[in-house]
PDB file of all heavy atoms in Angstrom:
ATOM      1  N   TYR A   1       0.790  -1.251  -0.052  1.00  0.00           N
ATOM      2  CA  TYR A   1       0.053  -0.002   0.048  1.00  0.00           C
ATOM      3  C   TYR A   1       0.843   1.248   0.009  1.00  0.00           C
ATOM      4  O   TYR A   1       0.573   2.200  -0.698  1.00  0.00           O
ATOM      5  CB  TYR A   1      -0.959  -0.009   1.186  1.00  0.00           C
ATOM      6  CG  TYR A   1      -2.066  -0.978   1.072  1.00  0.00           C
ATOM      7  CD1 TYR A   1      -2.029  -2.222   1.603  1.00  0.00           C
ATOM      8  CD2 TYR A   1      -3.238  -0.591   0.452  1.00  0.00           C
ATOM      9  CE1 TYR A   1      -3.083  -3.111   1.490  1.00  0.00           C
ATOM     10  CE2 TYR A   1      -4.277  -1.417   0.299  1.00  0.00           C
ATOM     11  CZ  TYR A   1      -4.189  -2.731   0.834  1.00  0.00           C
ATOM     12  OH  TYR A   1      -5.309  -3.619   0.664  1.00  0.00           O
ATOM     13  N   LYS A   2       1.929   1.237   0.760  1.00  0.00           N
ATOM     14  CA  LYS A   2       2.619   2.536   0.949  1.00  0.00           C
ATOM     15  C   LYS A   2       3.408   2.815  -0.284  1.00  0.00           C
ATOM     16  O   LYS A   2       3.609   3.931  -0.708  1.00  0.00           O
ATOM     17  CB  LYS A   2       3.660   2.376   2.137  1.00  0.00           C
ATOM     18  CG  LYS A   2       2.884   2.381   3.526  1.00  0.00           C
ATOM     19  CD  LYS A   2       3.879   2.220   4.631  1.00  0.00           C
ATOM     20  CE  LYS A   2       3.094   2.208   5.924  1.00  0.00           C
ATOM     21  NZ  LYS A   2       4.031   2.036   7.021  1.00  0.00           N
ATOM     22  N   MET A   3       3.943   1.777  -1.084  1.00  0.00           N
ATOM     23  CA  MET A   3       4.569   2.060  -2.320  1.00  0.00           C
ATOM     24  C   MET A   3       3.578   2.680  -3.290  1.00  0.00           C
ATOM     25  O   MET A   3       3.986   3.625  -4.071  1.00  0.00           O
ATOM     26  CB  MET A   3       5.147   0.804  -2.929  1.00  0.00           C
ATOM     27  CG  MET A   3       6.087   0.950  -4.082  1.00  0.00           C
ATOM     28  SD  MET A   3       6.419  -0.385  -5.087  1.00  0.00           S
ATOM     29  CE  MET A   3       6.884  -1.648  -3.838  1.00  0.00           C
ATOM     30  N   MET A   4       2.330   2.242  -3.240  1.00  0.00           N
ATOM     31  CA  MET A   4       1.381   2.805  -4.168  1.00  0.00           C
ATOM     32  C   MET A   4       0.920   4.234  -3.737  1.00  0.00           C
ATOM     33  O   MET A   4       0.801   5.169  -4.589  1.00  0.00           O
ATOM     34  CB  MET A   4       0.123   1.869  -4.153  1.00  0.00           C
ATOM     35  CG  MET A   4       0.369   0.607  -4.727  1.00  0.00           C
ATOM     36  SD  MET A   4       0.614   0.625  -6.597  1.00  0.00           S
ATOM     37  CE  MET A   4      -1.075   0.717  -7.115  1.00  0.00           C
ATOM     38  N   LEU A   5       0.761   4.488  -2.514  1.00  0.00           N
ATOM     39  CA  LEU A   5       0.256   5.733  -2.036  1.00  0.00           C
ATOM     40  C   LEU A   5       1.310   6.853  -2.130  1.00  0.00           C
ATOM     41  O   LEU A   5       0.836   8.023  -2.326  1.00  0.00           O
ATOM     42  CB  LEU A   5      -0.257   5.568  -0.550  1.00  0.00           C
ATOM     43  CG  LEU A   5      -1.519   4.802  -0.377  1.00  0.00           C
ATOM     44  CD1 LEU A   5      -1.691   4.429   1.121  1.00  0.00           C
ATOM     45  CD2 LEU A   5      -2.792   5.529  -0.877  1.00  0.00           C
ATOM     46  N   ARG A   6       2.551   6.500  -1.907  1.00  0.00           N
ATOM     47  CA  ARG A   6       3.566   7.593  -1.911  1.00  0.00           C
ATOM     48  C   ARG A   6       3.679   8.169  -3.325  1.00  0.00           C
ATOM     49  O   ARG A   6       3.748   7.422  -4.348  1.00  0.00           O
ATOM     50  CB  ARG A   6       4.945   7.036  -1.434  1.00  0.00           C
ATOM     51  CG  ARG A   6       4.978   6.702  -0.035  1.00  0.00           C
ATOM     52  CD  ARG A   6       5.004   7.876   0.905  1.00  0.00           C
ATOM     53  NE  ARG A   6       6.123   8.703   0.768  1.00  0.00           N
ATOM     54  CZ  ARG A   6       7.129   8.638   1.552  1.00  0.00           C
ATOM     55  NH1 ARG A   6       7.202   7.750   2.627  1.00  0.00           N
ATOM     56  NH2 ARG A   6       8.234   9.401   1.458  1.00  0.00           N
ATOM     57  N   GLN A   7       3.675   9.465  -3.427  1.00  0.00           N
ATOM     58  CA  GLN A   7       3.734  10.213  -4.722  1.00  0.00           C
ATOM     59  C   GLN A   7       5.169  10.659  -5.059  1.00  0.00           C
ATOM     60  O   GLN A   7       5.386  10.998  -6.208  1.00  0.00           O
ATOM     61  CB  GLN A   7       2.814  11.363  -4.634  1.00  0.00           C
ATOM     62  CG  GLN A   7       1.245  10.938  -4.430  1.00  0.00           C
ATOM     63  CD  GLN A   7       0.792   9.940  -5.519  1.00  0.00           C
ATOM     64  OE1 GLN A   7       0.603  10.343  -6.591  1.00  0.00           O
ATOM     65  NE2 GLN A   7       0.493   8.669  -5.092  1.00  0.00           N
ATOM     66  N   ASP A   8       5.967  10.562  -4.028  1.00  0.00           N
ATOM     67  CA  ASP A   8       7.418  11.055  -4.338  1.00  0.00           C
ATOM     68  C   ASP A   8       8.318   9.881  -4.664  1.00  0.00           C
ATOM     69  O   ASP A   8       8.172   8.731  -4.145  1.00  0.00           O
ATOM     70  CB  ASP A   8       7.913  11.715  -3.025  1.00  0.00           C
ATOM     71  CG  ASP A   8       7.926  10.794  -1.834  1.00  0.00           C
ATOM     72  OD1 ASP A   8       6.811  10.365  -1.380  1.00  0.00           O
ATOM     73  OD2 ASP A   8       9.002  10.574  -1.231  1.00  0.00           O
ATOM     74  N   ALA A   9       9.269  10.113  -5.532  1.00  0.00           N
ATOM     75  CA  ALA A   9      10.167   8.962  -5.925  1.00  0.00           C
ATOM     76  C   ALA A   9      10.949   8.372  -4.788  1.00  0.00           C
ATOM     77  O   ALA A   9      11.252   7.134  -4.750  1.00  0.00           O
ATOM     78  CB  ALA A   9      11.054   9.522  -7.000  1.00  0.00           C
ATOM     79  N   GLU A  10      11.403   9.162  -3.826  1.00  0.00           N
ATOM     80  CA  GLU A  10      12.180   8.717  -2.721  1.00  0.00           C
ATOM     81  C   GLU A  10      11.287   7.702  -1.861  1.00  0.00           C
ATOM     82  O   GLU A  10      11.775   6.606  -1.375  1.00  0.00           O
ATOM     83  CB  GLU A  10      12.661   9.876  -1.811  1.00  0.00           C
ATOM     84  CG  GLU A  10      13.557   9.417  -0.624  1.00  0.00           C
ATOM     85  CD  GLU A  10      13.947  10.544   0.219  1.00  0.00           C
ATOM     86  OE1 GLU A  10      13.675  11.798  -0.177  1.00  0.00           O
ATOM     87  OE2 GLU A  10      14.658  10.297   1.210  1.00  0.00           O
ATOM     88  N   GLY A  11      10.066   8.135  -1.567  1.00  0.00           N
ATOM     89  CA  GLY A  11       9.209   7.288  -0.748  1.00  0.00           C
ATOM     90  C   GLY A  11       8.860   6.015  -1.548  1.00  0.00           C
ATOM     91  O   GLY A  11       8.848   4.834  -0.953  1.00  0.00           O
ATOM     92  N   GLN A  12       8.673   6.003  -2.828  1.00  0.00           N
ATOM     93  CA  GLN A  12       8.359   4.819  -3.528  1.00  0.00           C
ATOM     94  C   GLN A  12       9.512   3.919  -3.535  1.00  0.00           C
ATOM     95  O   GLN A  12       9.419   2.683  -3.418  1.00  0.00           O
ATOM     96  CB  GLN A  12       7.919   5.228  -4.971  1.00  0.00           C
ATOM     97  CG  GLN A  12       6.589   5.980  -5.145  1.00  0.00           C
ATOM     98  CD  GLN A  12       6.407   6.477  -6.463  1.00  0.00           C
ATOM     99  OE1 GLN A  12       7.026   6.066  -7.483  1.00  0.00           O
ATOM    100  NE2 GLN A  12       5.405   7.288  -6.730  1.00  0.00           N
ATOM    101  N   ALA A  13      10.728   4.493  -3.680  1.00  0.00           N
ATOM    102  CA  ALA A  13      11.821   3.681  -3.735  1.00  0.00           C
ATOM    103  C   ALA A  13      12.182   3.003  -2.409  1.00  0.00           C
ATOM    104  O   ALA A  13      12.611   1.709  -2.235  1.00  0.00           O
ATOM    105  CB  ALA A  13      13.144   4.509  -4.129  1.00  0.00           C
ATOM    106  N   LEU A  14      11.838   3.652  -1.307  1.00  0.00           N
ATOM    107  CA  LEU A  14      12.048   3.165   0.020  1.00  0.00           C
ATOM    108  C   LEU A  14      11.217   1.924   0.170  1.00  0.00           C
ATOM    109  O   LEU A  14      11.552   0.822   0.694  1.00  0.00           O
ATOM    110  CB  LEU A  14      11.642   4.205   1.103  1.00  0.00           C
ATOM    111  CG  LEU A  14      11.592   3.654   2.519  1.00  0.00           C
ATOM    112  CD1 LEU A  14      12.947   3.146   3.067  1.00  0.00           C
ATOM    113  CD2 LEU A  14      11.030   4.719   3.466  1.00  0.00           C
ATOM    114  N   HIS A  15       9.920   2.052  -0.086  1.00  0.00           N
ATOM    115  CA  HIS A  15       8.916   0.855   0.086  1.00  0.00           C
ATOM    116  C   HIS A  15       9.135  -0.200  -0.988  1.00  0.00           C
ATOM    117  O   HIS A  15       8.835  -1.332  -0.703  1.00  0.00           O
ATOM    118  CB  HIS A  15       7.575   1.408   0.205  1.00  0.00           C
ATOM    119  CG  HIS A  15       7.277   2.260   1.355  1.00  0.00           C
ATOM    120  ND1 HIS A  15       7.249   1.724   2.674  1.00  0.00           N
ATOM    121  CD2 HIS A  15       7.068   3.644   1.513  1.00  0.00           C
ATOM    122  CE1 HIS A  15       7.011   2.688   3.471  1.00  0.00           C
ATOM    123  NE2 HIS A  15       6.957   3.846   2.826  1.00  0.00           N
ATOM    124  N   LYS A  16       9.606   0.097  -2.194  1.00  0.00           N
ATOM    125  CA  LYS A  16      10.028  -0.952  -3.113  1.00  0.00           C
ATOM    126  C   LYS A  16      11.098  -1.796  -2.584  1.00  0.00           C
ATOM    127  O   LYS A  16      11.068  -3.036  -2.691  1.00  0.00           O
ATOM    128  CB  LYS A  16      10.424  -0.260  -4.365  1.00  0.00           C
ATOM    129  CG  LYS A  16      10.682  -1.231  -5.499  1.00  0.00           C
ATOM    130  CD  LYS A  16      11.014  -0.458  -6.795  1.00  0.00           C
ATOM    131  CE  LYS A  16      11.225  -1.406  -7.992  1.00  0.00           C
ATOM    132  NZ  LYS A  16      11.433  -0.602  -9.280  1.00  0.00           N
ATOM    133  N   GLN A  17      12.093  -1.110  -1.888  1.00  0.00           N
ATOM    134  CA  GLN A  17      13.184  -1.906  -1.347  1.00  0.00           C
ATOM    135  C   GLN A  17      12.736  -2.741  -0.192  1.00  0.00           C
ATOM    136  O   GLN A  17      13.131  -3.967  -0.088  1.00  0.00           O
ATOM    137  CB  GLN A  17      14.305  -0.878  -0.861  1.00  0.00           C
ATOM    138  CG  GLN A  17      15.507  -1.589  -0.063  1.00  0.00           C
ATOM    139  CD  GLN A  17      16.244  -2.619  -1.004  1.00  0.00           C
ATOM    140  OE1 GLN A  17      16.342  -2.377  -2.238  1.00  0.00           O
ATOM    141  NE2 GLN A  17      16.791  -3.663  -0.367  1.00  0.00           N
ATOM    142  N   ARG A  18      11.873  -2.250   0.653  1.00  0.00           N
ATOM    143  CA  ARG A  18      11.403  -2.942   1.845  1.00  0.00           C
ATOM    144  C   ARG A  18      10.551  -4.126   1.395  1.00  0.00           C
ATOM    145  O   ARG A  18      10.542  -5.219   2.009  1.00  0.00           O
ATOM    146  CB  ARG A  18      10.654  -2.035   2.788  1.00  0.00           C
ATOM    147  CG  ARG A  18      11.625  -1.057   3.461  1.00  0.00           C
ATOM    148  CD  ARG A  18      10.968  -0.205   4.482  1.00  0.00           C
ATOM    149  NE  ARG A  18      11.958   0.686   5.166  1.00  0.00           N
ATOM    150  CZ  ARG A  18      11.619   1.572   6.061  1.00  0.00           C
ATOM    151  NH1 ARG A  18      10.403   1.849   6.317  1.00  0.00           N
ATOM    152  NH2 ARG A  18      12.594   2.268   6.678  1.00  0.00           N
ATOM    153  N   LEU A  19       9.709  -3.957   0.389  1.00  0.00           N
ATOM    154  CA  LEU A  19       8.832  -5.004  -0.109  1.00  0.00           C
ATOM    155  C   LEU A  19       9.802  -6.126  -0.811  1.00  0.00           C
ATOM    156  O   LEU A  19       9.477  -7.337  -0.581  1.00  0.00           O
ATOM    157  CB  LEU A  19       7.833  -4.538  -1.143  1.00  0.00           C
ATOM    158  CG  LEU A  19       6.855  -5.507  -1.651  1.00  0.00           C
ATOM    159  CD1 LEU A  19       6.122  -6.344  -0.618  1.00  0.00           C
ATOM    160  CD2 LEU A  19       5.853  -4.964  -2.704  1.00  0.00           C
ATOM    161  N   THR A  20      10.780  -5.642  -1.507  1.00  0.00           N
ATOM    162  CA  THR A  20      11.698  -6.625  -1.985  1.00  0.00           C
ATOM    163  C   THR A  20      12.316  -7.444  -0.954  1.00  0.00           C
ATOM    164  O   THR A  20      12.459  -8.771  -1.071  1.00  0.00           O
ATOM    165  CB  THR A  20      12.755  -5.935  -2.938  1.00  0.00           C
ATOM    166  OG1 THR A  20      12.205  -5.239  -4.016  1.00  0.00           O
ATOM    167  CG2 THR A  20      13.798  -6.891  -3.452  1.00  0.00           C
ATOM    168  N   GLU A  21      12.739  -6.791   0.102  1.00  0.00           N
ATOM    169  CA  GLU A  21      13.278  -7.609   1.278  1.00  0.00           C
ATOM    170  C   GLU A  21      12.397  -8.536   1.836  1.00  0.00           C
ATOM    171  O   GLU A  21      12.714  -9.666   2.160  1.00  0.00           O
ATOM    172  CB  GLU A  21      13.787  -6.574   2.285  1.00  0.00           C
ATOM    173  CG  GLU A  21      15.042  -5.693   1.889  1.00  0.00           C
ATOM    174  CD  GLU A  21      15.307  -4.557   2.777  1.00  0.00           C
ATOM    175  OE1 GLU A  21      14.475  -4.356   3.739  1.00  0.00           O
ATOM    176  OE2 GLU A  21      16.294  -3.849   2.547  1.00  0.00           O
ATOM    177  N   ALA A  22      11.105  -8.134   1.932  1.00  0.00           N
ATOM    178  CA  ALA A  22       9.985  -8.978   2.527  1.00  0.00           C
ATOM    179  C   ALA A  22       9.837 -10.268   1.615  1.00  0.00           C
ATOM    180  O   ALA A  22       9.710 -11.348   2.094  1.00  0.00           O
ATOM    181  CB  ALA A  22       8.705  -8.216   2.642  1.00  0.00           C
ATOM    182  N   VAL A  23       9.723 -10.002   0.280  1.00  0.00           N
ATOM    183  CA  VAL A  23       9.572 -11.084  -0.698  1.00  0.00           C
ATOM    184  C   VAL A  23      10.791 -12.067  -0.588  1.00  0.00           C
ATOM    185  O   VAL A  23      10.549 -13.305  -0.635  1.00  0.00           O
ATOM    186  CB  VAL A  23       9.377 -10.520  -2.110  1.00  0.00           C
ATOM    187  CG1 VAL A  23       9.351 -11.621  -3.137  1.00  0.00           C
ATOM    188  CG2 VAL A  23       8.040  -9.751  -2.159  1.00  0.00           C
ATOM    189  N   LEU A  24      11.982 -11.552  -0.530  1.00  0.00           N
ATOM    190  CA  LEU A  24      13.189 -12.482  -0.449  1.00  0.00           C
ATOM    191  C   LEU A  24      13.184 -13.147   0.891  1.00  0.00           C
ATOM    192  O   LEU A  24      13.440 -14.378   0.922  1.00  0.00           O
ATOM    193  CB  LEU A  24      14.461 -11.582  -0.539  1.00  0.00           C
ATOM    194  CG  LEU A  24      14.746 -10.995  -1.944  1.00  0.00           C
ATOM    195  CD1 LEU A  24      15.895 -10.057  -1.815  1.00  0.00           C
ATOM    196  CD2 LEU A  24      15.062 -12.146  -2.893  1.00  0.00           C
ATOM    197  N   PHE A  25      12.702 -12.645   1.890  1.00  0.00           N
ATOM    198  CA  PHE A  25      12.593 -13.282   3.252  1.00  0.00           C
ATOM    199  C   PHE A  25      11.456 -14.441   3.095  1.00  0.00           C
ATOM    200  O   PHE A  25      11.742 -15.567   3.594  1.00  0.00           O
ATOM    201  CB  PHE A  25      12.140 -12.361   4.404  1.00  0.00           C
ATOM    202  CG  PHE A  25      12.312 -12.815   5.708  1.00  0.00           C
ATOM    203  CD1 PHE A  25      13.492 -12.772   6.382  1.00  0.00           C
ATOM    204  CD2 PHE A  25      11.210 -13.475   6.315  1.00  0.00           C
ATOM    205  CE1 PHE A  25      13.607 -13.188   7.684  1.00  0.00           C
ATOM    206  CE2 PHE A  25      11.349 -13.984   7.642  1.00  0.00           C
ATOM    207  CZ  PHE A  25      12.531 -13.812   8.307  1.00  0.00           C
ATOM    208  N   MET A  26      10.411 -14.138   2.400  1.00  0.00           N
ATOM    209  CA  MET A  26       9.436 -15.200   2.171  1.00  0.00           C
ATOM    210  C   MET A  26      10.070 -16.362   1.435  1.00  0.00           C
ATOM    211  O   MET A  26       9.785 -17.514   1.735  1.00  0.00           O
ATOM    212  CB  MET A  26       8.215 -14.604   1.410  1.00  0.00           C
ATOM    213  CG  MET A  26       7.402 -13.604   2.184  1.00  0.00           C
ATOM    214  SD  MET A  26       6.421 -12.393   1.080  1.00  0.00           S
ATOM    215  CE  MET A  26       5.507 -13.606   0.077  1.00  0.00           C
ATOM    216  N   GLU A  27      10.818 -16.067   0.439  1.00  0.00           N
ATOM    217  CA  GLU A  27      11.416 -17.095  -0.425  1.00  0.00           C
ATOM    218  C   GLU A  27      12.424 -18.017   0.391  1.00  0.00           C
ATOM    219  O   GLU A  27      12.241 -19.246   0.374  1.00  0.00           O
ATOM    220  CB  GLU A  27      12.135 -16.413  -1.648  1.00  0.00           C
ATOM    221  CG  GLU A  27      13.039 -17.347  -2.371  1.00  0.00           C
ATOM    222  CD  GLU A  27      12.207 -18.296  -3.330  1.00  0.00           C
ATOM    223  OE1 GLU A  27      11.089 -18.012  -3.547  1.00  0.00           O
ATOM    224  OE2 GLU A  27      12.785 -19.278  -3.852  1.00  0.00           O
ATOM    225  N   HIS A  28      13.318 -17.282   1.132  1.00  0.00           N
ATOM    226  CA  HIS A  28      14.473 -18.037   1.650  1.00  0.00           C
ATOM    227  C   HIS A  28      14.096 -18.465   3.069  1.00  0.00           C
ATOM    228  O   HIS A  28      14.559 -19.622   3.447  1.00  0.00           O
ATOM    229  CB  HIS A  28      15.692 -17.147   1.662  1.00  0.00           C
ATOM    230  CG  HIS A  28      16.229 -16.771   0.346  1.00  0.00           C
ATOM    231  ND1 HIS A  28      16.848 -17.827  -0.409  1.00  0.00           N
ATOM    232  CD2 HIS A  28      16.140 -15.710  -0.370  1.00  0.00           C
ATOM    233  CE1 HIS A  28      17.154 -17.231  -1.583  1.00  0.00           C
ATOM    234  NE2 HIS A  28      16.741 -15.931  -1.666  1.00  0.00           N
ATOM    235  N   GLN A  29      13.461 -17.681   3.872  1.00  0.00           N
ATOM    236  CA  GLN A  29      13.170 -18.163   5.297  1.00  0.00           C
ATOM    237  C   GLN A  29      11.829 -18.808   5.298  1.00  0.00           C
ATOM    238  O   GLN A  29      11.611 -19.548   6.359  1.00  0.00           O
ATOM    239  CB  GLN A  29      13.219 -16.895   6.173  1.00  0.00           C
ATOM    240  CG  GLN A  29      14.512 -16.222   6.218  1.00  0.00           C
ATOM    241  CD  GLN A  29      15.650 -17.125   6.745  1.00  0.00           C
ATOM    242  OE1 GLN A  29      15.523 -17.891   7.683  1.00  0.00           O
ATOM    243  NE2 GLN A  29      16.803 -16.989   6.122  1.00  0.00           N
ATOM    244  N   GLY A  30      11.069 -18.624   4.440  1.00  0.00           N
ATOM    245  CA  GLY A  30       9.611 -19.104   4.398  1.00  0.00           C
ATOM    246  C   GLY A  30       9.551 -20.508   3.508  1.00  0.00           C
ATOM    247  O   GLY A  30       9.783 -21.580   4.003  1.00  0.00           O
ATOM    248  N   LEU A  31       9.286 -20.234   2.287  1.00  0.00           N
ATOM    249  CA  LEU A  31       8.948 -21.342   1.375  1.00  0.00           C
ATOM    250  C   LEU A  31      10.033 -22.383   1.201  1.00  0.00           C
ATOM    251  O   LEU A  31       9.799 -23.642   1.330  1.00  0.00           O
ATOM    252  CB  LEU A  31       8.637 -20.738  -0.025  1.00  0.00           C
ATOM    253  CG  LEU A  31       7.282 -20.090  -0.046  1.00  0.00           C
ATOM    254  CD1 LEU A  31       7.158 -19.133  -1.278  1.00  0.00           C
ATOM    255  CD2 LEU A  31       6.166 -21.073  -0.025  1.00  0.00           C
ATOM    256  N   ARG A  32      11.350 -21.983   1.200  1.00  0.00           N
ATOM    257  CA  ARG A  32      12.407 -22.929   0.980  1.00  0.00           C
ATOM    258  C   ARG A  32      12.730 -23.728   2.266  1.00  0.00           C
ATOM    259  O   ARG A  32      13.186 -24.855   2.144  1.00  0.00           O
ATOM    260  CB  ARG A  32      13.708 -22.198   0.568  1.00  0.00           C
ATOM    261  CG  ARG A  32      13.651 -21.598  -0.863  1.00  0.00           C
ATOM    262  CD  ARG A  32      15.037 -21.262  -1.355  1.00  0.00           C
ATOM    263  NE  ARG A  32      14.895 -20.456  -2.701  1.00  0.00           N
ATOM    264  CZ  ARG A  32      15.957 -20.239  -3.390  1.00  0.00           C
ATOM    265  NH1 ARG A  32      17.100 -20.604  -3.040  1.00  0.00           N
ATOM    266  NH2 ARG A  32      15.724 -19.488  -4.450  1.00  0.00           N
ATOM    267  N   LYS A  33      12.427 -23.207   3.422  1.00  0.00           N
ATOM    268  CA  LYS A  33      12.711 -23.892   4.664  1.00  0.00           C
ATOM    269  C   LYS A  33      11.563 -24.638   5.190  1.00  0.00           C
ATOM    270  O   LYS A  33      11.772 -25.727   5.951  1.00  0.00           O
ATOM    271  CB  LYS A  33      13.264 -22.888   5.669  1.00  0.00           C
ATOM    272  CG  LYS A  33      14.615 -22.311   5.487  1.00  0.00           C
ATOM    273  CD  LYS A  33      15.081 -21.552   6.633  1.00  0.00           C
ATOM    274  CE  LYS A  33      16.554 -21.161   6.510  1.00  0.00           C
ATOM    275  NZ  LYS A  33      17.110 -20.434   7.680  1.00  0.00           N
ATOM    276  N   LEU A  34      10.417 -24.245   5.020  1.00  0.00           N
ATOM    277  CA  LEU A  34       9.238 -24.778   5.711  1.00  0.00           C
ATOM    278  C   LEU A  34       8.625 -26.022   5.021  1.00  0.00           C
ATOM    279  O   LEU A  34       7.955 -26.848   5.667  1.00  0.00           O
ATOM    280  CB  LEU A  34       8.180 -23.715   5.866  1.00  0.00           C
ATOM    281  CG  LEU A  34       8.560 -22.560   6.753  1.00  0.00           C
ATOM    282  CD1 LEU A  34       7.340 -21.544   6.787  1.00  0.00           C
ATOM    283  CD2 LEU A  34       8.778 -23.034   8.262  1.00  0.00           C
ATOM    284  N   SER A  35       8.804 -26.108   3.748  1.00  0.00           N
ATOM    285  CA  SER A  35       8.008 -27.108   3.063  1.00  0.00           C
ATOM    286  C   SER A  35       8.692 -27.600   1.774  1.00  0.00           C
ATOM    287  O   SER A  35       9.233 -26.827   1.021  1.00  0.00           O
ATOM    288  CB  SER A  35       6.624 -26.533   2.620  1.00  0.00           C
ATOM    289  OG  SER A  35       5.857 -27.506   1.848  1.00  0.00           O
ATOM    290  N   SER A  36       8.549 -28.818   1.539  1.00  0.00           N
ATOM    291  CA  SER A  36       9.053 -29.483   0.230  1.00  0.00           C
ATOM    292  C   SER A  36       7.905 -29.572  -0.737  1.00  0.00           C
ATOM    293  O   SER A  36       8.036 -29.936  -1.920  1.00  0.00           O
ATOM    294  CB  SER A  36       9.690 -30.854   0.348  1.00  0.00           C
ATOM    295  OG  SER A  36       8.709 -31.712   1.065  1.00  0.00           O
ATOM    296  N   GLY A  37       6.683 -29.238  -0.353  1.00  0.00           N
ATOM    297  CA  GLY A  37       5.422 -29.295  -1.085  1.00  0.00           C
ATOM    298  C   GLY A  37       5.185 -27.965  -1.761  1.00  0.00           C
ATOM    299  O   GLY A  37       5.903 -26.991  -1.506  1.00  0.00           O
ATOM    300  N   PRO A  38       4.164 -27.909  -2.556  1.00  0.00           N
ATOM    301  CA  PRO A  38       3.957 -26.708  -3.304  1.00  0.00           C
ATOM    302  C   PRO A  38       3.480 -25.617  -2.501  1.00  0.00           C
ATOM    303  O   PRO A  38       3.490 -24.332  -2.864  1.00  0.00           O
ATOM    304  CB  PRO A  38       2.909 -27.180  -4.329  1.00  0.00           C
ATOM    305  CG  PRO A  38       2.171 -28.343  -3.744  1.00  0.00           C
ATOM    306  CD  PRO A  38       3.181 -28.945  -2.898  1.00  0.00           C
ATOM    307  N   PHE A  39       2.830 -25.799  -1.285  1.00  0.00           N
ATOM    308  CA  PHE A  39       2.198 -24.828  -0.510  1.00  0.00           C
ATOM    309  C   PHE A  39       3.046 -24.460   0.723  1.00  0.00           C
ATOM    310  O   PHE A  39       4.099 -25.023   0.909  1.00  0.00           O
ATOM    311  CB  PHE A  39       0.824 -25.318  -0.164  1.00  0.00           C
ATOM    312  CG  PHE A  39      -0.088 -25.585  -1.275  1.00  0.00           C
ATOM    313  CD1 PHE A  39      -0.386 -26.916  -1.601  1.00  0.00           C
ATOM    314  CD2 PHE A  39      -0.465 -24.607  -2.114  1.00  0.00           C
ATOM    315  CE1 PHE A  39      -1.214 -27.251  -2.594  1.00  0.00           C
ATOM    316  CE2 PHE A  39      -1.259 -24.912  -3.195  1.00  0.00           C
ATOM    317  CZ  PHE A  39      -1.620 -26.228  -3.546  1.00  0.00           C
TER     318      PHE A  39
END
């Protein structure tokens, strides 16, 4: 939401980076570690 709502380039870049970090955490600490199944 914050990346969408922010109208300034700096704010958008900040939340883009934080969302990227969250997605990478989901990949490496979540899906890859928790399950060998598809879910």
Side-chain angles (χ1 to χ4, degrees):
Y1 286 95
K2 290 178 182 181
M3 192 196 310
M4 292 289 280
L5 290 166
R6 291 290 291 264
Q7 302 300 295
D8 60 300
E10 182 180 359
Q12 291 174 13
L14 171 65
H15 292 293
K16 185 176 184 178
Q17 176 60 33
R18 290 182 176 174
L19 182 58
T20 298
E21 291 169 355
V23 169
L24 289 171
F25 193 88
M26 290 158 59
E27 171 77 12
H28 294 288
Q29 299 299 320
L31 288 162
R32 293 194 188 190
K33 286 190 174 183
L34 294 176
S35 173
S36 59
F39 302 109

